[in-house]
Amino acid sequence: MAEKTIQTQTEKGDLQKLENTRNTEEYITPAVDIYEEEKGLALLADLPGVNKEGLDIQVKDDILTIQAHADYKNVATPFYKEFDIQHFFRQFQLSEKVDASKITAQFINGVLKLSLPKAEETLPRKITIEIG
Amino acid sequence: MRTWDTFNELVALQRELNRALDTYLPEHTSSRDWPVGFLPGKSARAYPLINISEDKDNFYVEALAPGINTSSLEINVARKTLRISGEKMNLNDIKPEQIHRSERSGGKFIRSVELPVEVDSNGVKAKYSQGILTITLPKAEDAKPKRIAVDVQ
């Protein structure tokens, strides 16, 4: 008899498909800026309508996952609408050069700032040459 | 002698169409609310996006504006018109060669919103939290619905 159970596989380094895990809620991809800083990378993400408790940042198998649950309610009876706040989800493949244990996060005015420091061994080192 | 300027012609045509649409559409959906231009620039997209809601006494305007420099934020109210202006911080201080990805645009913005009735400009309150600017605008006394008692004889 043929094996009917389908083995689920998560290969290391595979960006997870959100469809596998998410429930019926809708998610949007937040806009991000990524730039180099002296000691590593910095990531800025716009996450309006999210409070600190709704924010979930994880690093697993070199994949950085940013998930945010917005708690936005209409103040009163809406009569003109241009935006709707939904939950946010985005994943990034980290290079192994990033030291995952030293990632720090700040969250001010709906903007998340992640500092991703590079691992010690990849930082440039000055080598002094002795002239004999 | 006048020279033919294609862009001027297009802008004139757009103005003509807007005027035509304005007479057709109900007040809230006037073509001024559709920020479509023939030469779309950065400012062609309305920013910040807003939601307006109301209850008996107030209008609530919510603007989706994460990462605003709070000291630059300015809110003006004159009669029916609310004007929001400010500046979103961008990556200006960072050298272009350091940037890997730049999706969040920044810069100065200004947006005017026309409300259906006059508001009491003295009672306007604004709150900025979690990247959403909420402005509470009390309706002017004259604009509030009045209950008129009927004398039954």
Side-chain angles (χ1 to χ4, degrees), chain A residues 28-40:
Chain A
I28 50 171
T29 309
V32 300
D33 284 349
I34 300 172
Y35 58 91
E36 295 269 348
E37 278 185 327
E38 205 186 326
K39 286 264 167 69

Side-chain angles (χ1 to χ4, degrees), chain A residues 33-89:
Chain A
D33 284 349
I34 300 172
Y35 58 91
E36 295 269 348
E37 278 185 327
E38 205 186 326
K39 286 264 167 69
L41 290 167
L43 183 150
L44 295 175
D46 278 348
L47 303 165
V50 173
N51 63 21
K52 216 175 121 197
E53 286 70 40
L55 202 56
D56 181 25
I57 304 157
Q58 283 184 17
V59 181
K60 198 191 162 202
D61 298 336
D62 296 324
I63 292 168
L64 169 71
T65 308
I66 299 168
Q67 196 161 1
H69 285 267
D71 60 337
Y72 173 76
K73 279 183 211 82
N74 284 321
V75 196
T77 325
F79 75 89
Y80 177 77
K81 208 164 187 184
E82 285 182 349
F83 69 87
D84 197 8
I85 293 192
Q86 265 145 10
H87 306 307
F88 297 95
F89 182 92

Side-chain angles (χ1 to χ4, degrees), chain B residues 22-75:
Chain B
D22 271 343
T23 54
Y24 260 100
L25 298 167
E27 212 178 301
H28 294 303
T29 52
S30 91
S31 56
R32 272 170 289 133
D33 296 333
W34 303 344
V36 183
F38 279 115
L39 295 169
K42 264 189 175 171
S43 57
R45 220 183 80 198
Y47 185 90
L49 293 179
I50 53 159
N51 278 356
I52 309 175
S53 49
E54 67 171 334
D55 59 19
K56 203 160 72 31
D57 302 317
N58 298 303
F59 284 113
Y60 303 94
V61 176
E62 289 166 287
L64 189 66
I68 299 294
N69 187 352
T70 40
S71 58
S72 73
L73 207 55
E74 225 174 274
I75 296 157

